[in-house]
């Protein structure tokens, strides 16, 4: 869970949508005209299924897991700001676990991304994370916008059975409580 990495795919859309909401460039009812496919660089990227050009709200984009709509949200947010949010969500760096062999995952700086990779990171391709990083990122939404560093040990039990709790996990604000609440509401849908 802390060593192996994989492309997180659609789960990363939570980060992209939260970044757009929190930065104020979109709201849950902001609409985009979303085709089922669009060319980026030299690649034709697609949604999971063919559909006519469709006016979709940000809520619908996440609920229907639209790749193209998610790219539109990333574009509205701006690639530099989107990358900053990905880092705040704990992607691209090792966690506080201090686990031997823990991976930082793969998250190139936004300025180093080439071609369609510039936009595929918005929906979790062209980057990689560990399961620990990914659950910690989504946990931000559950924790009212606070990142809570993961930990392996809750406390230490001495020979007499007394438990000494470990220090509380470090936290930092990623998104506002309101943004987290809106995200939870959308995720229920």
């Amino acid at each position: 869970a802390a060593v192996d990495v994989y492309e997180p795919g659609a789960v990363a859309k939570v980060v992209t949508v939260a970044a757009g909401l929190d930065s104020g460039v979109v709201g849950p009812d902001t609409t985009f005209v979303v085709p089922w496919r669009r060319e980026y660089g030299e690649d034709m990227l697609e949604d999971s299924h063919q559909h006519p050009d469709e006016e979709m709200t940000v809520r619908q984009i996440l609920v229907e897991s639209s790749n193209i709509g998610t790219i539109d949200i990333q574009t509205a947010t701006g690639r530099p700001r989107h990358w900053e949010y990905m880092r705040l969500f704990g992607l691209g760096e090792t966690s506080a676990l201090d686990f031997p062999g823990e991976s930082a995952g793969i998250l190139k700086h936004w300025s180093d991304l080439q071609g369609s990779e510039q936009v595929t990171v918005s929906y979790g391709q062209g980057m990689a994370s560990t399961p620990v990083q990914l659950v910690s990122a989504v946990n931000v939404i559950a924790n009212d916008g606070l990142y809570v560093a993961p930990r392996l040990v809750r406390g230490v039990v001495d020979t007499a059975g007394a438990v000494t709790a470990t220090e509380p996990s470090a936290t930092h604000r990623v998104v506002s409580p309101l943004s987290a609440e809106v995200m939870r509401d959308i995720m229920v849908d």
Side-chain angles (χ1 to χ4, degrees):
V3 177
D4 294 334
V5 300
Y6 62 93
E7 287 185 330
V11 177
K13 293 174 182 176
V14 170
V15 173
T16 301
V17 174
L21 290 169
D22 193 65
S23 60
V25 298
V26 298
D29 297 321
T30 301
T31 59
F32 294 93
V33 176
V34 180
W36 79 275
R37 67 180 179 173
R38 190 182 290 145
E39 189 172 346
Y40 296 91
E42 297 179 8
D43 297 316
M44 188 65 74
L45 303 179
E46 303 175 347
D47 275 350
S48 64
H49 62 284
Q50 290 187 24
H51 58 80
D53 289 5
E54 181 178 350
E55 192 168 318
M56 297 177 77
T57 65
V58 167
R59 177 182 299 276
Q60 289 172 307
I61 288 168
L62 186 60
V63 168
E64 295 182 25
S65 196
S66 169
N67 294 337
I68 305 304
T70 302
I71 292 169
D72 288 342
I73 295 168
Q74 180 211 29
T75 300
T77 304
R79 287 181 30 238
R81 186 183 299 166
H82 177 251
W83 183 85
E84 290 170 9
Y85 272 100
M86 292 178 83
R87 297 288 292 189
L88 285 170
F89 272 91
L91 302 172
E93 59 188 38
T94 57
S95 73
L97 286 179
D98 196 29
F99 190 80
E102 181 178 4
S103 175
I106 300 168
L107 181 62
K108 294 179 187 176
H109 189 270
W110 70 269
S111 63
D112 294 330
L113 298 171
Q114 301 295 316
S116 63
E117 187 179 49
Q118 295 174 22
V119 296
T120 60
V121 294
S122 70
Y123 58 83
Q125 294 181 7
M127 48 97 56
S129 64
T130 66
V132 167
Q133 288 172 323
L134 201 55
V135 75
S136 297
V138 174
N139 217 21
V140 166
I141 304 306
N143 286 314
D144 291 326
L146 283 179
Y147 176 88
V148 178
R151 61 182 176 167
L152 292 174
V153 179
R154 186 181 325 180
V156 179
V157 180
D158 67 18
T159 55
V163 177
T164 303
T166 57
E167 291 292 317
S169 294
T171 64
H172 64 263
R173 170 81 41 212
V174 178
V175 298
S176 71
L178 178 59
S179 294
E181 180 182 347
V182 171
M183 281 300 300
R184 286 192 304 272
D185 182 57
I186 294 172
M187 290 169 72
V188 167
D189 287 351

